[in-house]
Amino acid sequence: MADEGTPEVPRPGRPVRGSETGRPIMAALDLLGRRWALRVIWELHQGPAGFRELQRRCERMSSSVLSTRLEELTTARVVAGGDRYRLTPLGERLVRALLPLQEWSDAWDADLRE
Amino acid sequence: MADEGTPEVPRPGRPVRGSETGRPIMAALDLLGRRWALRVIWELHQGPAGFRELQRRCERMSSSVLSTRLEELTTARVVAGGDRYRLTPLGERLVRALLPLQEWSDAWDADLRE
DNA sequence: GACGAGTGCTTCGGTTTCCGAACCACTATG
DNA sequence: CATAGTGGTTCGGAAACCGAAGCACTCGTC
């Protein structure tokens, strides 16, 4: 489904960009702080999708980057491929952890409108 | 505190990278999906910090990128400058929305160790 | 008052990442 | 056979990021 080369995916327990400690939260911030990563997870929460459908949901996201992100998220066991891409139980749990963000973004909207 | 040029900061209500709709959540995902953005917010939650101290907390983060992120986050009213940088009430609320992520990252760690 | 030592940044050349159109191989469906 | 859709990969150009260096300033202190 994707190249299994040497993809350099952040993992807890290993030093990542900006942290030698390997603290899980730092690995998570690295993984999720890559372009489109949060968005892909968010869109998959709306339901499983094939490659091209997922790309459409992300409004013209580059296919090459989508491919890379899917590989990273798959390695991280957040996403699983097969017939279509879908969130793993771990991925679902991540989305639940991210749900308060939607609420916050509405508050942010309200705040900036003042 | 930083250049007030034309910084192109994502805002709810405006089309952002990957979304023409301007839905607040999409603007938030864009803002927070930039390198170091989540980390800077996370570190400021440990307490206010001056520029160089914040850079140290982020373990050798590039000063130029820190400068850019601080400008974006300030424009977004998540961070405020002054004597030292600190989270605004909106920023504190954002951190609270992000707290479940720490818990998740520990579960992620446990899952990957299997 | 000249010396560090620290601060808040900016500049700039080099590297990495991202973008996106084109393309390839495959599977329908008509 | 043609057309349309799928799951990607390739690759040249653009944008983002990196990090060492430097600048202007303040704060002791000798």
Side-chain angles (χ1 to χ4, degrees), chain B residues 1-3 50-52 55 63-64 66-68 70 81-85:
Chain B
M1 208 135 195
D3 180 21
F51 187 91
R52 272 178 140 98
Q55 188 181 14
S63 56
S64 50
L66 176 55
S67 181
T68 305
L70 284 173
D83 183 24
R84 329 175 80 192
Y85 289 102

Coordinates of all heavy atoms in Angstrom, one line a residue, chain B residues 1-3 50-52 55 63-64 66-68 70 81-85, chain C residues 7-11, chain D residues 20-24:
Chain B
M1 N 6.9 43.8 18.9 CA 7.5 42.6 19.3 C 7.8 41.7 18.1 O 8.7 40.9 18.1 CB 6.6 41.8 20.2 CG 7.5 40.9 21.1 SD 6.9 41.0 22.8 CE 8.3 40.3 23.7
A2 N 7.1 41.9 17.1 CA 7.4 41.2 15.8 C 6.9 42.0 14.7 O 6.0 42.9 14.8 CB 6.7 39.8 15.8
D3 N 7.3 41.7 13.5 CA 6.9 42.4 12.3 C 5.4 42.3 12.1 O 4.8 41.3 12.3 CB 7.6 41.8 11.1 CG 7.2 42.5 9.8 OD1 6.8 43.7 9.8 OD2 7.4 41.9 8.7
G50 N 10.4 34.2 28.3 CA 11.0 35.1 27.3 C 11.4 34.4 26.0 O 11.3 33.1 26.0
F51 N 11.7 35.1 25.0 CA 12.0 34.5 23.7 C 13.1 33.4 23.8 O 12.9 32.3 23.4 CB 12.5 35.6 22.7 CG 12.7 35.1 21.3 CD1 11.6 35.1 20.4 CD2 13.9 34.6 20.9 CE1 11.8 34.7 19.1 CE2 14.1 34.1 19.6 CZ 13.0 34.2 18.7
R52 N 14.2 33.7 24.4 CA 15.3 32.8 24.5 C 15.1 31.6 25.4 O 15.5 30.5 25.1 CB 16.6 33.5 24.8 CG 17.4 34.0 23.6 CD 18.6 34.8 24.0 NE 19.7 34.5 23.1 CZ 20.1 35.3 22.1 NH1 19.4 36.4 21.8 NH2 21.1 35.0 21.3
Q55 N 12.8 29.3 23.5 CA 13.6 28.5 22.6 C 14.4 27.4 23.2 O 14.5 26.3 22.7 CB 14.6 29.5 21.9 CG 15.4 28.9 20.7 CD 16.3 29.9 20.1 OE1 16.6 30.9 20.7 NE2 16.8 29.6 18.9
S63 N 15.4 30.0 15.9 CA 14.9 31.3 16.3 C 13.9 31.9 15.3 O 13.0 32.6 15.6 CB 16.0 32.2 16.6 OG 16.9 32.4 15.5
S64 N 14.3 31.7 14.0 CA 13.4 32.4 13.0 C 12.0 31.8 13.0 O 11.0 32.5 12.8 CB 14.1 32.2 11.6 OG 14.5 30.9 11.4
L66 N 10.6 30.2 15.5 CA 9.9 30.6 16.8 C 9.3 32.0 16.6 O 8.2 32.3 17.0 CB 11.0 30.6 17.9 CG 10.4 31.1 19.3 CD1 9.2 30.4 19.7 CD2 11.5 31.1 20.3
S67 N 10.1 32.9 16.0 CA 9.6 34.2 15.8 C 8.3 34.2 14.9 O 7.3 34.9 15.3 CB 10.7 35.0 15.1 OG 10.3 36.4 14.8
T68 N 8.3 33.4 13.9 CA 7.1 33.4 13.0 C 5.9 32.8 13.8 O 4.8 33.3 13.7 CB 7.5 32.5 11.8 OG1 8.6 33.0 11.1 CG2 6.3 32.4 10.8
L70 N 5.4 32.7 17.0 CA 4.9 33.6 18.0 C 4.0 34.7 17.4 O 3.0 35.1 17.9 CB 6.1 34.2 18.7 CG 6.7 33.3 19.8 CD1 8.0 33.9 20.3 CD2 5.7 32.9 20.9
G81 N 2.3 38.8 24.1 CA 3.6 39.2 24.4 C 3.6 40.3 25.5 O 2.5 40.7 25.9
G82 N 4.7 40.8 25.9 CA 4.7 41.9 26.9 C 6.1 41.7 27.5 O 7.1 41.7 26.8
D83 N 6.2 41.6 28.8 CA 7.5 41.4 29.4 C 7.9 40.0 28.9 O 9.0 39.8 28.4 CB 7.3 41.4 30.9 CG 8.7 41.2 31.6 OD1 9.7 41.5 30.9 OD2 8.7 40.8 32.7
R84 N 7.1 39.0 29.1 CA 7.4 37.6 28.7 C 6.2 37.2 27.9 O 5.1 37.7 28.0 CB 7.6 36.7 29.8 CG 8.2 37.4 31.0 CD 8.3 36.5 32.2 NE 9.5 35.6 32.1 CZ 9.7 34.6 32.9 NH1 8.9 34.3 33.8 NH2 10.8 33.9 32.8
Y85 N 6.4 36.1 27.1 CA 5.3 35.5 26.4 C 4.4 34.7 27.3 O 5.0 34.0 28.2 CB 5.8 34.7 25.2 CG 6.4 35.5 24.1 CD1 7.7 35.6 23.9 CD2 5.5 36.2 23.2 CE1 8.3 36.4 22.9 CE2 6.1 36.9 22.2 CZ 7.4 37.0 22.1 OH 8.0 37.8 21.1
Chain C
dT7 P 19.0 35.1 28.7 OP1 18.0 34.5 29.6 OP2 19.6 34.3 27.7 O5' 18.3 36.3 28.0 C5' 17.7 37.4 28.7 C4' 17.2 38.4 27.8 O4' 18.4 39.0 27.2 C3' 16.4 37.9 26.7 O3' 15.0 38.3 26.9 C2' 16.9 38.6 25.4 C1' 18.1 39.4 25.9 N1 19.2 39.3 25.0 C2 19.5 40.3 24.1 O2 18.8 41.2 23.9 N3 20.6 40.1 23.3 C4 21.5 39.0 23.4 O4 22.5 38.9 22.6 C5 21.2 38.0 24.4 C7 22.1 36.8 24.5 C6 20.1 38.2 25.1
dG8 P 13.9 37.5 26.0 OP1 12.7 37.5 26.8 OP2 14.5 36.2 25.5 O5' 13.7 38.4 24.7 C5' 13.2 39.7 24.8 C4' 13.4 40.4 23.5 O4' 14.8 40.3 23.1 C3' 12.6 39.6 22.3 O3' 12.0 40.5 21.5 C2' 13.8 38.9 21.6 C1' 14.9 39.9 21.8 N9 16.2 39.4 21.5 C8 16.7 38.2 22.1 N7 18.0 38.0 21.7 C5 18.3 39.0 20.8 C6 19.4 39.3 20.1 O6 20.5 38.7 20.0 N1 19.3 40.5 19.3 C2 18.2 41.3 19.3 N2 18.2 42.3 18.5 N3 17.1 41.0 20.0 C4 17.2 39.9 20.7
dC9 P 10.7 39.9 20.6 OP1 10.3 40.9 19.6 OP2 9.7 39.3 21.5 O5' 11.4 38.6 19.8 C5' 11.5 38.6 18.4 C4' 12.6 39.5 17.9 O4' 13.8 39.0 18.6 C3' 12.9 39.3 16.4 O3' 12.2 40.2 15.7 C2' 14.4 39.4 16.3 C1' 14.9 39.3 17.7 N1 16.0 38.3 17.9 C2 17.2 38.4 17.3 O2 17.4 39.4 16.6 N3 18.2 37.5 17.5 C4 17.9 36.5 18.2 N4 18.9 35.6 18.4 C5 16.7 36.3 18.9 C6 15.7 37.2 18.7
dT10 P 11.8 39.9 14.2 OP1 10.8 41.0 13.8 OP2 11.4 38.5 14.1 O5' 13.1 40.1 13.4 C5' 13.8 41.4 13.4 C4' 15.0 41.4 12.5 O4' 16.0 40.5 13.0 C3' 14.7 40.8 11.1 O3' 15.4 41.7 10.1 C2' 15.3 39.4 11.1 C1' 16.4 39.5 12.1 N1 16.7 38.3 12.8 C2 18.0 37.8 12.8 O2 18.9 38.3 12.1 N3 18.3 36.7 13.5 C4 17.3 36.0 14.3 O4 17.6 35.0 14.9 C5 16.0 36.5 14.2 C7 14.9 35.8 15.0 C6 15.8 37.6 13.5
dT11 P 15.1 41.5 8.6 OP1 14.8 42.9 8.1 OP2 14.2 40.4 8.3 O5' 16.5 41.1 8.0 C5' 17.6 41.0 8.8 C4' 18.8 40.3 8.1 O4' 19.2 39.2 8.9 C3' 18.6 39.8 6.7 O3' 19.8 40.0 6.0 C2' 18.3 38.3 6.9 C1' 19.2 38.0 8.1 N1 18.7 36.9 9.0 C2 19.6 36.0 9.5 O2 20.7 36.0 9.3 N3 19.0 35.0 10.3 C4 17.7 34.9 10.7 O4 17.3 34.0 11.4 C5 16.8 35.9 10.1 C7 15.3 35.8 10.4 C6 17.3 36.8 9.3
Chain D
dA20 P 24.0 26.0 14.8 OP1 24.3 24.6 14.8 OP2 23.5 26.6 16.1 O5' 25.3 26.8 14.4 C5' 25.7 26.8 13.0 C4' 26.0 28.2 12.5 O4' 24.8 28.8 12.2 C3' 26.8 29.1 13.5 O3' 27.8 29.7 12.8 C2' 25.7 30.0 14.0 C1' 24.8 30.1 12.7 N9 23.4 30.5 13.0 C8 22.6 30.0 14.0 N7 21.4 30.5 14.0 C5 21.4 31.4 13.0 C6 20.4 32.3 12.4 N6 19.2 32.4 12.9 N1 20.8 33.1 11.4 C2 22.0 33.0 10.9 N3 23.0 32.2 11.3 C4 22.6 31.4 12.3
dA21 P 28.9 30.5 13.6 OP1 30.2 30.1 13.0 OP2 28.7 30.4 15.0 O5' 28.6 32.1 13.2 C5' 28.3 32.4 11.8 C4' 27.6 33.7 11.7 O4' 26.2 33.6 12.1 C3' 28.2 34.8 12.6 O3' 28.8 35.8 11.9 C2' 27.0 35.2 13.5 C1' 25.8 34.8 12.7 N9 24.7 34.5 13.5 C8 24.6 33.6 14.5 N7 23.4 33.5 15.1 C5 22.6 34.4 14.4 C6 21.3 34.9 14.5 N6 20.4 34.3 15.4 N1 20.9 35.8 13.6 C2 21.7 36.3 12.7 N3 23.0 36.0 12.5 C4 23.4 35.0 13.4
dG22 P 29.5 37.0 12.6 OP1 30.5 37.5 11.6 OP2 30.0 36.7 13.9 O5' 28.4 38.1 12.7 C5' 27.6 38.4 11.5 C4' 26.4 39.3 11.9 O4' 25.4 38.5 12.6 C3' 26.8 40.4 12.9 O3' 26.3 41.6 12.3 C2' 26.2 40.1 14.2 C1' 24.9 39.3 13.7 N9 24.4 38.4 14.7 C8 25.1 37.4 15.4 N7 24.3 36.8 16.3 C5 23.1 37.4 16.1 C6 21.8 37.1 16.8 O6 21.6 36.2 17.7 N1 20.8 37.9 16.4 C2 21.0 38.9 15.4 N2 19.9 39.6 15.1 N3 22.1 39.2 14.8 C4 23.1 38.4 15.2
dC23 P 26.9 43.0 12.8 OP1 27.5 43.7 11.6 OP2 27.8 42.8 14.0 O5' 25.7 43.8 13.3 C5' 24.4 43.8 12.6 C4' 23.3 44.3 13.5 O4' 22.8 43.2 14.3 C3' 23.7 45.4 14.4 O3' 22.8 46.5 14.4 C2' 23.7 44.7 15.8 C1' 22.6 43.7 15.6 N1 22.7 42.5 16.5 C2 21.6 42.1 17.2 O2 20.6 42.7 17.1 N3 21.7 41.0 18.1 C4 22.9 40.4 18.2 N4 22.9 39.3 19.0 C5 24.0 40.7 17.4 C6 23.9 41.8 16.6
dA24 P 23.3 47.9 14.8 OP1 23.0 48.8 13.7 OP2 24.6 47.8 15.4 O5' 22.3 48.3 16.0 C5' 20.9 48.0 15.8 C4' 20.2 47.9 17.2 O4' 20.5 46.6 17.7 C3' 20.7 48.9 18.2 O3' 19.6 49.5 18.8 C2' 21.5 48.0 19.2 C1' 20.8 46.7 19.1 N9 21.7 45.6 19.5 C8 23.0 45.3 19.1 N7 23.5 44.2 19.6 C5 22.4 43.7 20.3 C6 22.3 42.5 21.1 N6 23.3 41.6 21.2 N1 21.1 42.3 21.7 C2 20.1 43.2 21.5 N3 20.1 44.3 20.8 C4 21.3 44.5 20.2

